[in-house]
Amino acid sequence: MSFGFGKDFRVTLFGESHGKVVGAVVEGCPAGLQLTEGDIQQELDKRRPGQVLTTGRRERDLVRLLSGTVNGRTDGGPITMLVDNEDVDSSWYEKHRYIPRPGHADYTAFIKYHGFNDYRGGGFFSGRLTAGIVMGGAIAKKILATRGIKILTHVVQIGNIKVGTQIKDEQVEEFAYSSPVRCADRKKSALMVAELDRLAAEHDSTGGVIECRVLNLPVGIGEPIFDSMESVISHGIFSIPAVKAIEFGSGFRLSGMRGSEANDEFYVKEGRILTKTNNSGGILGGLTNGMPLVFRVGIKPTSSIGKPQQSVDLRTMKERELRVEGRHDPCIAVRAVPVIESMTSICITDLMVRVQMIPRTVGD
Amino acid sequence: MSFGFGKDFRVTLFGESHGKVVGAVVEGCPAGLQLTEGDIQQELDKRRPGQVLTTGRRERDLVRLLSGTVNGRTDGGPITMLVDNEDVDSSWYEKHRYIPRPGHADYTAFIKYHGFNDYRGGGFFSGRLTAGIVMGGAIAKKILATRGIKILTHVVQIGNIKVGTQIKDEQVEEFAYSSPVRCADRKKSALMVAELDRLAAEHDSTGGVIECRVLNLPVGIGEPIFDSMESVISHGIFSIPAVKAIEFGSGFRLSGMRGSEANDEFYVKEGRILTKTNNSGGILGGLTNGMPLVFRVGIKPTSSIGKPQQSVDLRTMKERELRVEGRHDPCIAVRAVPVIESMTSICITDLMVRVQMIPRTVGD
Amino acid sequence: MSFGFGKDFRVTLFGESHGKVVGAVVEGCPAGLQLTEGDIQQELDKRRPGQVLTTGRRERDLVRLLSGTVNGRTDGGPITMLVDNEDVDSSWYEKHRYIPRPGHADYTAFIKYHGFNDYRGGGFFSGRLTAGIVMGGAIAKKILATRGIKILTHVVQIGNIKVGTQIKDEQVEEFAYSSPVRCADRKKSALMVAELDRLAAEHDSTGGVIECRVLNLPVGIGEPIFDSMESVISHGIFSIPAVKAIEFGSGFRLSGMRGSEANDEFYVKEGRILTKTNNSGGILGGLTNGMPLVFRVGIKPTSSIGKPQQSVDLRTMKERELRVEGRHDPCIAVRAVPVIESMTSICITDLMVRVQMIPRTVGD
Amino acid sequence: MSFGFGKDFRVTLFGESHGKVVGAVVEGCPAGLQLTEGDIQQELDKRRPGQVLTTGRRERDLVRLLSGTVNGRTDGGPITMLVDNEDVDSSWYEKHRYIPRPGHADYTAFIKYHGFNDYRGGGFFSGRLTAGIVMGGAIAKKILATRGIKILTHVVQIGNIKVGTQIKDEQVEEFAYSSPVRCADRKKSALMVAELDRLAAEHDSTGGVIECRVLNLPVGIGEPIFDSMESVISHGIFSIPAVKAIEFGSGFRLSGMRGSEANDEFYVKEGRILTKTNNSGGILGGLTNGMPLVFRVGIKPTSSIGKPQQSVDLRTMKERELRVEGRHDPCIAVRAVPVIESMTSICITDLMVRVQMIPRTVGD
């Protein structure tokens, strides 16, 4: 059951890296929403492989919308979307089936499934499955847009190059996707590009940090205790391969602060209650407080690297050297940006549908 | 529904800070497990208020085990446990009902529930509800112990005092709970105690970082994509009040590392596959890999402080100064240690029951 | 997890027949609902043992409301309610622990739980657990009453005595609970009482049929395919011990009808769309159609009878004769009436909360 | 979320009657199961339209298996299957969009979805969606077969023609699907065929009763209280369009029996505990008792009939006469046989996976 996420707005993923398709079924989308293949394609294009600085696999990722709409609007039923896997070559994996790649799920999946898992390109553990997250997120974003909610995401660190200053919302909105590394700070973006070129040349990789902000959220989204905003978002975000850390608001820095400094004091502006600071990242008691929801996600370096690494043959239990062939993204954080944006949209939509901030039909 | 956590081993919390009781119902515990009130009391005592350096509220927290056992063993049915709220004085909250405390859920809950929420001591948003987590965790720990699994947790940072070196497992096991601040590094523990005394005198507070390690886990726990080990644990941990950050293995440090350095290479030792490093924190592709599962949790400073703070009267929308009365824990991270340990136990038990690594009856 | 029912309005049962308590936790009740122990007690009294023609066990069943309200209104949190088991004598069960009673769960539970189940009075398989259903139903009924929805339930058959004609809604409402056998047809009620006296004298028992009608439902409750109104109600109703059959509207009679006769034709009355007949029992495509929702439930005879029966000693696998001691309800259908009413209320409330026909706060 | 069924073995349906496809995603299938498109096609062929005495719509229903297998075996991931809708003509529905067909979901869906539902052929309320149930059931049956479990289903009543005697298991197994009306009693089968010819000529329809038996079940399947065997099966079965009644074992007849007659007494045969009678239908306390699980399902007459019926124009609220065009199954019970068989398989597989009677990998 772990291929589906969400309680009232639910995205179920399917497919394998080297199988026929990857896709998603979305349940719980309000009826009446205008939705075309173009809406989904637009989001899918943001994570498509084969762009600058990314993996050599060429996939067009043309979405097919198979169910859930009539006359250009959602009909209240499950929305099924998929893309074909077109550029698949499994020969390397056939040859190295029993030599798990360090950093990947190969070893753990082999044990869990007694060897019956799909070993080609990681099977359903592959980052390729995140295409389904983006498909579901495309719908979630359209729903949130009907409530004026925006999600801004960009890269704030690649390797040791960090965006030092707070970038304005408008700047993130405008520049994130025009940067080849999805970083809205143009100077740092250039440095990051150079760094990735260097790493690619060295057959190595690095990690990164992504910042996500959600604007215009109403107060009170999130459920007490086990479906706190942080719980639901972190659950979703850690489902994305390579994510290893998350912090909300001032995050780990809060551990070293004093309460008198960390508490966000309330004030009134134009009849609305706001806080002077936003150390809490827009969340109090697990519920949104009307301030921007802010979190940062730590991404590990791409595990597939050209350098030789130590592994073990699972049949003979002998140690073996392994060199992962092919071109791979030197920093997977770049392509994770739309995925994190999508996953966040799914989380918030689910919580809003649940508490009836989004009704079951939204058509005009 | 958000008061329950777990799919096959499920803990449902109930109660309010100033109501009659707090407690938990646990479903999915294997039948045949030896279980007494003493087993639960022992864990509850670790988080009881009224100990050194913590809140002034005096609660004995004597557990009553109301269902789920017969002849000293679990019977396969729901296990109901509760403690009475004995030392309750709601007068301050009656007086300040409409002035939300900064850092707390008061404001967001007021909006979400249209003022019908229990405003006394935070109602069910109170940290007091974590007593139920500890009750459920006491059972989970007993279950995990039948499989040889251990959970070690201690404080590695309070304010700006950080444990710099890696503390050995044995040391954590031996000293964590004998330290008044739950820190197994004895020197740092003493410094932390002094720091908390200072903060208490200044009516201020600070945050902290807790490290958790789970030893002796079999390979393959966790479910692909949406119930990855990181997803499930982070979901549970962020349900604990004051948690604002989590990182697994080398966490945010991974973002600055190279793949060739971050990947944990495999080797064979005594017929078992291990990794030379443990940057992944014992998790590959969301599944345990047999290495120690390691994560760190960032806790914000206690929100209740004696210093005056700015707030707003929710009836008049006028700004008001607020001073939270009474003695409060200067660093809530200290009492969060057994809660994090318990929540982690619940997460792992749920995932193991689900994949049948723990059978439905465990009696001998 | 099977001790909880409902997705958005959820009732979790706990307790054992001969344990300390039986009770329920209710999640998802809208905040702001006026609720006292008296509201729950009133419903519990309808199923209390120790009344005319029922089991000899004397239980006062005085409810204690332990959480979920503040100042007489629900606060949005879990509502915990329980009653003590006061009149418990387990000696018979200790003596016959390994001789399963025919018709009961003794044998199947012994196998399922490897003998660790509570064998005293059926443990959590006991009909006594339905007290928790009635507690949850008491809340559900109060919620439905805020929408003008009424549930009418009465006995239409005991043994071979059947209510032949359709009893008017008003008559059911007025007489069901004043009849000692919960039958609103006064003549048949008297015959049923006589029949039960006869059976009691013969140490035997019989079954019955209960009819349930839900009035004033809006159109469109129920969810397509797997949460059809029939699916959800039947799921809930079959969770009640001794239920073996259910039919909606004209039920099994429809199998022998023609489509031209069975289809309920539409017409308009005072601006509302109604159907001329109600063979569908108020449900079309799994959704309510605004007509009265009607179903009948078949209850098997009380399994505990004084007559000697054939069983097997589970230790020796030898056949043994068994005679269940004590006085038992000669027809359990009588006491099942408020349970079916309660369970139906829970089902409908859950479905209505889910589709936002009931908001998350209902206070005035 | 109501398009998915099952907790650990889960089938999610998608598609519309006149959309591009209908299909299913199956989660929780053990890894290692041999599975081909042929396995699924074989089951699909049993319910395919366009056979004798059924609807005139011609669909080949050729399944495409899109994910979840590698090298002819399941890989532990979601299994996606679909068939195309090929023979679709929506012109009648476009013309009668606002005139709901009696007996169908047209009216209730229109209200629920504010007119945004797919009105063509019932959209996702169509019986065509049961193709997905059969796809999921094909997998469930293969899993159950690895445990020796068999499901026998046949028609025991069409209109007023009833199978009077108990048909032997072997006879059901051999003849059910060779009968054009899925009735294993050959004489009655012939009468039923004649009756359906007559009804077709009169542009009318009738209902039927289907009996289902599950053989070789181990003891103890089903979960206490809310996931009793009866609860889960009835939930699933009532999700099938046109089902209006269900009874287990002796069902409604039990209501008129005495306890001394209804209780199934235990005895020992070849070291196994059996019952002399099977009035309980193989279920005690909601758990299987090792005897054949038996239930009967009441199906209403096909709602689509050629005769003129009274309806209402939803725009003008004026009454209108409606005549449903095209050829339709004169008795939908015939094609419901494989659907009930499939749904039952899904229910039992889910409950068995849950309690670990079926492991997570089943490959040899």
Side-chain angles (χ1 to χ4, degrees):
Chain A
M1 320 309 310
S2 61
F3 295 91
F5 182 86
K7 199 166 156 293
D8 287 274
F9 177 82
R10 185 172 180 88
V11 178
T12 300
L13 306 182
F14 57 81
E16 288 92 359
S17 182
H18 288 216
K20 291 180 185 161
V21 302
V22 291
V25 177
V26 173
E27 293 171 85
C29 178
L33 184 77
Q34 293 193 326
L35 185 71
T36 64
E37 288 182 343
D39 293 323
I40 302 153
Q41 194 63 52
Q42 179 182 319
E43 294 299 315
L44 266 180
D45 287 348
K46 294 181 184 169
R47 79 162 279 293
R48 208 177 62 234
Q51 303 185 60
V52 181
L53 294 170
T54 72
T55 176
R57 183 166 166 181
R58 300 286 147 190
E59 292 288 359
R60 291 181 300 157
D61 281 357
L62 295 179
V63 73
R64 282 186 285 151
L65 176 55
L66 294 182
S67 74
T69 64
V70 59
N71 299 335
R73 288 183 187 270
T74 56
D75 64 9
I79 303 167
T80 309
M81 300 161 287
L82 52 79
V83 300
D84 292 313
N85 290 330
E86 299 179 322
D87 185 23
V88 169
D89 174 3
S90 307
S91 54
W92 189 88
Y93 295 98
E94 297 290 353
K95 213 157 54 188
H96 298 83
R97 176 168 178 178
Y98 297 101
I99 323 278
R101 295 165 297 163
H104 282 284
D106 297 351
Y107 167 56
T108 53
F110 180 86
I111 299 295
K112 185 177 186 76
Y113 296 103
H114 300 173
F116 291 119
N117 60 303
D118 188 349
Y119 49 88
R120 305 164 307 167
F124 51 69
F125 288 94
S126 165
R128 182 142 178 80
L129 273 278
T130 62
I133 294 177
V134 173
M135 293 174 200
I139 295 171
K141 271 188 202 178
K142 284 212 71 169
I143 297 171
L144 293 178
T146 69
R147 293 295 174 268
I149 297 166
K150 270 187 193 175
I151 294 143
L152 307 181
T153 320
H154 78 138
V155 164
V156 295
Q157 180 183 338
I158 280 183
N160 291 311
I161 304 163
K162 300 180 190 183
V163 173
T165 54
Q166 170 73 6
I167 307 294
K168 288 208 178 113
D169 294 341
E170 296 70 28
Q171 201 176 335
V172 177
E173 191 166 13
E174 194 171 347
F175 297 116
Y177 283 102
S178 60
S179 155
V181 291
R182 309 311 189 207
C183 172
D185 178 326
R186 298 215 244 179
K187 279 195 187 157
K188 293 295 165 69
S189 173
L191 292 173
M192 289 169 178
V193 170
E195 170 70 3
L196 294 191
D197 282 337
R198 194 158 40 237
L199 284 164
E202 297 177 18
H203 304 294
D204 211 338
S205 65
T206 192
V209 175
I210 294 170
E211 187 178 270
C212 184
R213 309 175 193 175
V214 190
L215 308 181
N216 307 327
L217 289 169
V219 180
I221 311 175
E223 295 299 305
I225 307 193
F226 291 118
D227 281 349
S228 78
M229 206 71 201
E230 292 104 331
S231 288
V232 172
I233 288 179
S234 68
H235 191 136
I237 295 298
F238 275 116
S239 303
I240 301 167
V243 172
K244 296 300 277 190
I246 195 168
E247 59 179 8
F248 292 84
S250 298
F252 275 111
R253 282 204 306 117
L254 284 162
S255 304
M257 286 165 76
R258 293 204 162 194
S260 54
E261 176 191 7
N263 280 350
D264 300 311
E265 292 185 302
F266 295 109
Y267 74 105
V268 176
K269 187 178 169 185
E270 294 165 13
R272 289 181 56 216
I273 295 176
L274 303 175
T275 61
K276 295 178 186 176
T277 48
N278 191 16
N279 289 311
S280 74
I283 308 171
L284 281 177
L287 314 181
T288 53
N289 69 357
M291 297 293 292
L293 194 159
V294 182
F295 62 93
R296 268 168 309 284
V297 179
I299 311 274
K300 70 174 185 177
T302 311
S303 296
S304 293
I305 54 174
K307 292 196 164 179
Q309 298 177 88
Q310 187 75 37
S311 186
V312 171
D313 187 311
L314 295 169
R315 289 163 305 185
T316 62
M317 291 298 276
K318 301 273 185 230
E319 296 177 11
R320 286 278 305 271
E321 199 180 82
L322 187 74
R323 202 182 152 283
V324 181
E325 269 170 34
R327 284 197 60 220
H328 295 277
D329 300 41
C331 179
I332 197 68
V334 173
R335 283 181 60 211
V337 167
V339 180
I340 283 182
E341 203 166 293
S342 294
M343 194 69 233
T344 304
S345 305
I346 291 167
C347 293
I348 291 172
T349 301
D350 183 38
L351 285 167
M352 288 185 73
V353 168
R354 228 190 279 181
V355 293
Q356 315 180 354
M357 284 169 172
I358 293 172
R360 301 284 161 144
T361 52
V362 298
D364 34 70
Chain B
M1 317 308 305
S2 63
F3 295 92
F5 182 87
K7 200 166 155 294
D8 285 275
F9 177 81
R10 186 172 179 88
V11 179
T12 300
L13 306 183
F14 57 81
E16 288 93 0
S17 182
H18 289 217
K20 291 180 184 162
V21 303
V22 291
V25 177
V26 173
E27 293 171 84
C29 178
L33 184 76
Q34 292 192 326
L35 185 71
T36 65
E37 287 182 345
D39 293 324
I40 302 152
Q41 194 63 53
Q42 180 183 319
E43 294 300 315
L44 266 180
D45 287 348
K46 294 181 184 168
R47 79 161 282 290
R48 208 177 62 233
Q51 304 185 59
V52 181
L53 293 171
T54 71
T55 174
R57 183 167 166 180
R58 301 284 149 190
E59 293 287 359
R60 292 181 300 158
D61 281 358
L62 295 178
V63 74
R64 282 186 284 151
L65 177 54
L66 294 182
S67 75
T69 65
V70 59
N71 299 335
R73 287 182 188 271
T74 55
D75 64 8
I79 303 169
T80 310
M81 300 161 286
L82 52 80
V83 300
D84 292 313
N85 290 331
E86 299 178 322
D87 185 23
V88 169
D89 174 4
S90 307
S91 53
W92 188 88
Y93 295 99
E94 296 291 352
K95 215 157 51 189
H96 298 84
R97 176 167 178 178
Y98 298 101
I99 324 279
R101 294 166 297 164
H104 283 284
D106 298 351
Y107 167 56
T108 52
F110 180 87
I111 299 296
K112 186 178 185 75
Y113 296 103
H114 299 174
F116 290 119
N117 61 303
D118 188 349
Y119 49 88
R120 304 164 308 166
F124 51 68
F125 289 93
S126 166
R128 182 143 179 79
L129 273 279
T130 61
I133 294 176
V134 173
M135 294 174 200
I139 295 171
K141 271 188 199 177
K142 284 211 72 168
I143 296 170
L144 294 178
T146 68
R147 291 296 173 271
I149 297 166
K150 271 186 194 175
I151 294 142
L152 306 180
T153 320
H154 78 138
V155 164
V156 295
Q157 179 183 340
I158 281 183
N160 291 312
I161 305 164
K162 301 181 188 181
V163 174
T165 55
Q166 169 75 4
I167 308 294
K168 288 205 178 115
D169 293 341
E170 297 71 26
Q171 199 175 336
V172 177
E173 190 165 14
E174 194 172 346
F175 296 116
Y177 282 102
S178 60
S179 156
V181 291
R182 310 311 190 206
C183 172
D185 179 324
R186 298 217 245 180
K187 279 195 189 155
K188 292 295 166 69
S189 173
L191 292 173
M192 288 169 177
V193 170
E195 170 71 1
L196 293 191
D197 282 337
R198 196 159 38 238
L199 284 164
E202 294 177 20
H203 304 295
D204 211 338
S205 66
T206 193
V209 176
I210 294 170
E211 186 179 270
C212 185
R213 309 174 194 176
V214 190
L215 308 181
N216 306 327
L217 289 170
V219 179
I221 312 175
E223 295 298 306
I225 308 195
F226 290 118
D227 281 348
S228 78
M229 205 70 200
E230 293 103 330
S231 288
V232 172
I233 288 179
S234 68
H235 190 137
I237 295 297
F238 274 117
S239 302
I240 300 168
V243 172
K244 295 301 278 189
I246 194 166
E247 58 178 9
F248 291 84
S250 298
F252 275 111
R253 282 204 306 118
L254 284 162
S255 304
M257 287 165 75
R258 292 203 163 195
S260 54
E261 174 191 7
N263 280 351
D264 301 310
E265 291 185 303
F266 295 109
Y267 74 105
V268 176
K269 186 179 170 186
E270 293 165 14
R272 290 179 56 216
I273 295 176
L274 303 175
T275 61
K276 295 179 185 177
T277 48
N278 191 17
N279 289 312
S280 74
I283 309 171
L284 281 177
L287 313 181
T288 53
N289 69 356
M291 297 294 291
L293 193 160
V294 182
F295 62 92
R296 269 168 309 284
V297 179
I299 312 275
K300 72 175 182 177
T302 312
S303 295
S304 293
I305 53 173
K307 291 196 167 180
Q309 297 176 88
Q310 187 75 38
S311 186
V312 171
D313 187 312
L314 296 169
R315 289 163 306 185
T316 62
M317 292 296 277
K318 301 273 184 226
E319 296 178 9
R320 288 278 304 270
E321 199 180 82
L322 186 75
R323 202 183 152 281
V324 181
E325 270 171 33
R327 286 195 60 219
H328 296 277
D329 301 40
C331 178
I332 198 67
V334 174
R335 283 181 59 212
V337 167
V339 180
I340 283 182
E341 202 167 295
S342 295
M343 195 69 233
T344 305
S345 305
I346 291 167
C347 294
I348 292 172
T349 301
D350 183 38
L351 285 168
M352 289 185 73
V353 168
R354 228 189 281 181
V355 292
Q356 316 179 354
M357 285 171 171
I358 293 172
R360 300 285 162 142
T361 53
V362 298
D364 36 67
Chain C
M1 318 309 305
S2 63
F3 295 91
F5 182 87
K7 200 166 154 295
D8 286 273
F9 177 82
R10 186 171 179 88
V11 179
T12 301
L13 306 183
F14 57 82
E16 289 93 359
S17 182
H18 288 216
K20 290 180 185 161
V21 302
V22 292
V25 177
V26 173
E27 293 172 85
C29 178
L33 184 76
Q34 293 192 326
L35 186 71
T36 65
E37 288 183 343
D39 293 324
I40 302 154
Q41 194 63 53
Q42 180 182 320
E43 294 301 314
L44 266 180
D45 288 348
K46 293 180 183 168
R47 78 162 282 290
R48 207 176 64 233
Q51 304 185 58
V52 181
L53 293 171
T54 70
T55 175
R57 183 166 166 181
R58 301 284 147 189
E59 293 287 359
R60 291 182 300 159
D61 281 358
L62 295 179
V63 73
R64 281 186 285 151
L65 178 54
L66 294 182
S67 75
T69 64
V70 60
N71 299 335
R73 286 182 189 271
T74 55
D75 64 8
I79 303 169
T80 310
M81 300 160 287
L82 52 80
V83 300
D84 292 314
N85 291 331
E86 298 178 321
D87 185 23
V88 169
D89 174 3
S90 306
S91 54
W92 189 88
Y93 295 98
E94 296 291 353
K95 214 157 52 188
H96 298 83
R97 175 166 179 180
Y98 297 101
I99 323 279
R101 295 167 296 163
H104 283 283
D106 297 351
Y107 167 56
T108 52
F110 179 87
I111 300 296
K112 185 177 186 75
Y113 297 103
H114 299 173
F116 290 119
N117 61 305
D118 188 350
Y119 50 88
R120 303 164 309 166
F124 51 68
F125 289 93
S126 165
R128 183 144 178 78
L129 273 279
T130 61
I133 294 177
V134 173
M135 293 174 201
I139 295 171
K141 270 188 201 177
K142 285 211 70 168
I143 296 170
L144 294 178
T146 69
R147 291 297 173 269
I149 296 166
K150 272 187 193 173
I151 294 144
L152 306 180
T153 322
H154 78 137
V155 164
V156 295
Q157 179 182 340
I158 281 183
N160 291 312
I161 304 163
K162 300 181 190 181
V163 174
T165 54
Q166 169 74 5
I167 308 294
K168 289 205 178 115
D169 293 341
E170 297 71 28
Q171 201 176 335
V172 177
E173 190 165 15
E174 193 172 347
F175 297 116
Y177 283 102
S178 61
S179 155
V181 291
R182 311 309 190 206
C183 172
D185 179 324
R186 297 216 244 179
K187 279 195 189 157
K188 292 295 165 69
S189 173
L191 292 173
M192 288 170 178
V193 169
E195 170 71 2
L196 294 192
D197 281 337
R198 195 159 38 238
L199 285 165
E202 295 177 20
H203 303 294
D204 211 337
S205 65
T206 193
V209 175
I210 294 170
E211 186 179 270
C212 184
R213 309 174 193 175
V214 191
L215 308 182
N216 306 327
L217 289 169
V219 179
I221 312 175
E223 294 298 305
I225 308 194
F226 291 118
D227 281 348
S228 78
M229 205 71 202
E230 294 103 331
S231 288
V232 172
I233 287 180
S234 68
H235 190 136
I237 295 298
F238 275 117
S239 303
I240 300 168
V243 171
K244 295 301 277 189
I246 194 167
E247 58 178 9
F248 292 84
S250 298
F252 275 111
R253 282 203 308 117
L254 284 162
S255 304
M257 287 166 75
R258 293 204 161 193
S260 54
E261 175 192 6
N263 280 350
D264 301 309
E265 291 184 302
F266 295 109
Y267 75 105
V268 176
K269 187 179 169 184
E270 294 165 14
R272 292 180 54 217
I273 294 176
L274 303 175
T275 61
K276 295 179 185 175
T277 48
N278 191 16
N279 289 311
S280 75
I283 308 171
L284 281 177
L287 313 181
T288 53
N289 69 357
M291 297 294 290
L293 193 159
V294 181
F295 62 92
R296 268 169 309 284
V297 179
I299 312 276
K300 72 174 183 177
T302 313
S303 295
S304 293
I305 53 174
K307 291 196 166 180
Q309 297 176 89
Q310 188 75 38
S311 186
V312 171
D313 187 312
L314 296 169
R315 291 162 304 185
T316 62
M317 292 296 276
K318 300 275 185 227
E319 296 179 10
R320 287 278 305 268
E321 198 180 84
L322 186 76
R323 203 184 151 281
V324 181
E325 270 171 34
R327 286 195 60 219
H328 296 278
D329 300 41
C331 178
I332 198 68
V334 174
R335 283 181 60 212
V337 167
V339 180
I340 283 182
E341 203 167 293
S342 294
M343 194 69 233
T344 305
S345 305
I346 291 166
C347 294
I348 292 172
T349 302
D350 183 38
L351 285 168
M352 288 185 73
V353 169
R354 228 189 279 182
V355 293
Q356 315 180 355
M357 284 171 172
I358 293 172
R360 301 284 161 144
T361 54
V362 298
D364 36 67
Chain D
M1 319 306 306
S2 62
F3 295 92
F5 182 87
K7 200 168 154 293
D8 287 274
F9 177 82
R10 185 172 180 89
V11 178
T12 300
L13 307 183
F14 57 82
E16 289 91 0
S17 181
H18 289 216
K20 291 181 184 161
V21 302
V22 291
V25 177
V26 173
E27 294 171 84
C29 178
L33 184 77
Q34 292 192 327
L35 185 71
T36 64
E37 287 182 345
D39 293 322
I40 302 153
Q41 193 63 52
Q42 179 182 320
E43 295 300 315
L44 265 180
D45 288 348
K46 295 180 183 169
R47 78 162 282 292
R48 206 176 65 233
Q51 304 185 59
V52 180
L53 293 171
T54 71
T55 175
R57 183 166 166 181
R58 300 285 146 190
E59 293 287 359
R60 291 181 300 157
D61 281 357
L62 296 179
V63 73
R64 282 185 286 150
L65 176 56
L66 294 182
S67 73
T69 64
V70 59
N71 298 336
R73 288 182 187 269
T74 56
D75 64 9
I79 303 167
T80 309
M81 300 161 286
L82 53 80
V83 300
D84 292 313
N85 290 331
E86 299 178 321
D87 184 23
V88 169
D89 174 3
S90 306
S91 54
W92 189 88
Y93 295 99
E94 297 291 353
K95 213 158 52 187
H96 297 84
R97 175 168 178 178
Y98 297 101
I99 324 277
R101 294 166 296 164
H104 283 283
D106 297 351
Y107 168 55
T108 53
F110 180 86
I111 299 295
K112 186 177 186 76
Y113 296 103
H114 299 173
F116 291 119
N117 60 302
D118 188 349
Y119 50 88
R120 304 165 307 167
F124 51 70
F125 289 93
S126 166
R128 182 143 179 80
L129 273 278
T130 62
I133 293 177
V134 173
M135 294 173 199
I139 295 171
K141 270 189 202 177
K142 285 211 70 168
I143 297 170
L144 294 178
T146 69
R147 292 296 174 271
I149 297 166
K150 270 187 194 174
I151 294 142
L152 307 181
T153 320
H154 78 138
V155 164
V156 295
Q157 180 182 339
I158 280 183
N160 291 311
I161 304 163
K162 301 181 189 182
V163 174
T165 54
Q166 170 73 5
I167 308 294
K168 289 206 177 116
D169 293 342
E170 296 71 28
Q171 200 176 336
V172 178
E173 191 165 13
E174 193 171 346
F175 298 116
Y177 283 103
S178 60
S179 155
V181 291
R182 310 313 190 204
C183 172
D185 179 327
R186 299 216 244 179
K187 278 195 188 157
K188 292 295 166 70
S189 173
L191 292 174
M192 289 169 176
V193 170
E195 170 71 2
L196 294 191
D197 282 337
R198 197 158 37 236
L199 285 164
E202 296 177 19
H203 304 294
D204 211 338
S205 66
T206 192
V209 175
I210 294 170
E211 187 179 88
C212 184
R213 310 173 193 177
V214 190
L215 308 181
N216 306 328
L217 288 169
V219 180
I221 312 174
E223 295 298 304
I225 308 193
F226 291 118
D227 280 349
S228 78
M229 205 71 201
E230 293 104 330
S231 288
V232 172
I233 288 179
S234 68
H235 191 137
I237 295 297
F238 275 117
S239 302
I240 300 167
V243 172
K244 295 301 277 190
I246 194 168
E247 58 179 8
F248 292 85
S250 297
F252 275 112
R253 282 204 307 117
L254 284 162
S255 305
M257 287 166 75
R258 292 203 161 194
S260 54
E261 176 192 5
N263 280 350
D264 300 310
E265 292 185 302
F266 294 110
Y267 74 105
V268 176
K269 188 179 169 185
E270 294 165 13
R272 289 180 56 216
I273 295 176
L274 304 175
T275 60
K276 296 179 186 177
T277 48
N278 191 17
N279 289 311
S280 75
I283 308 171
L284 281 177
L287 314 180
T288 53
N289 69 357
M291 297 293 292
L293 194 159
V294 181
F295 62 92
R296 268 170 308 285
V297 179
I299 312 274
K300 72 174 183 177
T302 312
S303 296
S304 293
I305 54 174
K307 290 195 166 181
Q309 298 176 87
Q310 187 76 38
S311 186
V312 170
D313 187 311
L314 297 169
R315 291 162 304 185
T316 62
M317 291 298 275
K318 301 275 185 227
E319 296 178 10
R320 287 278 305 269
E321 199 180 83
L322 186 75
R323 205 183 149 281
V324 182
E325 269 171 34
R327 284 195 62 220
H328 296 277
D329 300 41
C331 178
I332 198 69
V334 174
R335 283 181 60 212
V337 167
V339 180
I340 283 182
E341 203 167 294
S342 295
M343 194 69 234
T344 305
S345 305
I346 291 167
C347 292
I348 291 172
T349 302
D350 183 38
L351 285 168
M352 288 185 74
V353 168
R354 227 189 281 181
V355 293
Q356 316 179 353
M357 284 170 172
I358 294 171
R360 301 284 162 143
T361 52
V362 299
D364 35 68

